């Protein structure tokens, strides 16, 4: 049984378009987007690394 909702994360070496294409190949379409910053602690100070982007995919009906 296939899940009706799946979260897809944009990988570090992947563009948003590539992630959306991957979702489409799996039979899902983007329904929501969530972003959150990723930090690393260096000498007790938080240092911004990158933005983590996730898409909520819903199963496309054929």
């Amino acid at each position: 049984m296939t899940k009706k909702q799946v979260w897809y994360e944009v990988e570090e070496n992947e563009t948003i378009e590539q992630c959306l294409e991957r979702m489409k190949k799996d039979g899902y379409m983007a329904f929501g987007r969530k972003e959150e910053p990723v930090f690393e602690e260096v000498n007790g100070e938080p240092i911004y690394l990158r933005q983590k982007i996730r898409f909520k995919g819903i199963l496309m009906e054929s």
Side-chain angles (χ1 to χ4, degrees), residues 2-58:
T2 307
K3 292 183 181 179
K4 291 188 178 193
Q5 292 184 2
V6 178
W7 283 95
Y8 283 82
E9 186 172 329
V10 178
E11 304 295 330
E12 278 194 53
N13 297 320
E14 181 180 45
T15 65
I16 290 173
E17 287 297 319
Q18 289 171 328
C19 181
L20 293 173
E21 192 62 37
R22 181 166 45 101
M23 289 175 68
K24 191 175 179 181
K25 283 182 189 175
D26 291 346
Y28 291 88
M29 70 177 202
F31 184 72
R33 176 177 169 150
K34 186 177 187 180
E35 292 189 42
E36 59 185 65
V38 177
F39 293 94
E40 179 179 55
E41 195 170 308
V42 177
N43 297 327
E45 294 290 318
I47 305 295
Y48 176 79
L49 287 180
R50 65 184 185 94
Q51 196 75 359
K52 181 164 70 168
I53 303 171
R54 298 172 69 204
F55 287 101
K56 181 188 217 177
I58 58 170

